[in-house]
Amino acid sequence: MRCIACISFVVVVALTGLAAAERPRLVTVDVPPHPAITEATAPYNVIFLNRCANGCTVKSGTTDSRTDTSAIVSGSHVLTKFTYGDATWNSLVACVRDVFSPFNVQVTDVDPGSANHFEIMIGGNPTDIGFSNNVGGVSGNGCGDTYIPNALVFDFADVWSSSSTTCSSSCLEDMCSTAAQEIGHSFGMDHSHNSADPMTYFNFVGRK
């Protein structure tokens, strides 16, 4: 079914303590409609993983990864940097590439600048950009068979570990699947009931 206008964005919630029985769940909140276009009118496929090495400034406005503006934030904020170190970051990039390997996309951690691209800011806490402290990731909703042009989504790295410097294998997989789910939502994808799918919020041991 085609969506005429999208009025919600999707939030993955990581409950306090990250207990096995309390995995991420879905919350929706109304926001103004996002512009959405079809693949035929904007054929680009670059996904930029932004480590926020010096913190990422994001401002309220029409969502656009090229200008770091987002329709799902209010005002101007700084998402604090990714703190888990080079080895974890490299493993995370490799994981996201693995998850997207069946598809015709380019996953990079080099900023494409003004070129069209989709972006996942990975770092900090949801409170950094005005969300409650139990949110694990957030994205605009691309609505069915369209997607958000130059989408900008968020994966809050600090909620996946109790340590600010150490990320376990399960922490890594949580960050990876959250990144995949949030950019998937901006492509218009809905949740899945398959626990092995990144678009689910059900428990799964291993790589989604």
Side-chain angles (χ1 to χ4, degrees), residues 55-117:
C56 285
T57 299
V58 58
K59 306 173 291 295
S60 178
T62 299
T63 296
D64 194 327
S65 59
R66 299 166 299 178
T67 56
D68 295 331
T69 53
S70 173
I72 61 176
V73 302
S74 178
S76 179
H77 303 272
V78 176
L79 181 65
T80 52
K81 67 180 182 179
F82 182 91
T83 61
Y84 298 129
D86 293 343
T88 298
W89 178 256
N90 292 338
S91 295
L92 177 59
V93 173
C95 179
V96 176
R97 284 176 176 159
D98 183 37
V99 170
F100 280 99
S101 61
F103 308 103
N104 181 30
V105 296
Q106 175 190 346
V107 176
T108 180
D109 62 353
V110 177
D111 191 348
S114 61
N116 288 335
H117 65 278

Side-chain angles (χ1 to χ4, degrees), residues 186-205:
S186 74
F187 293 167
M189 299 173 69
D190 203 347
H191 283 101
S192 168
H193 292 291
N194 178 358
S195 62
D197 189 322
M199 299 309 296
T200 190
Y201 45 92
F202 295 144
N203 291 339
F204 185 74
V205 176

Side-chain angles (χ1 to χ4, degrees), residues 24 30 38 48 63 66 72 87 95 99 112 115 134-135 144 152 164 171-173 176 184 188-189 194 201 205 208:
D30 288 344
T38 66
F48 170 42
T63 296
R66 299 166 299 178
I72 61 176
C95 179
V99 170
N134 60 348
V135 173
L152 174 61
S164 62
C171 161
L172 177 69
E173 296 295 336
C176 179
M189 299 173 69
N194 178 358
Y201 45 92
V205 176
K208 292 185 178 180

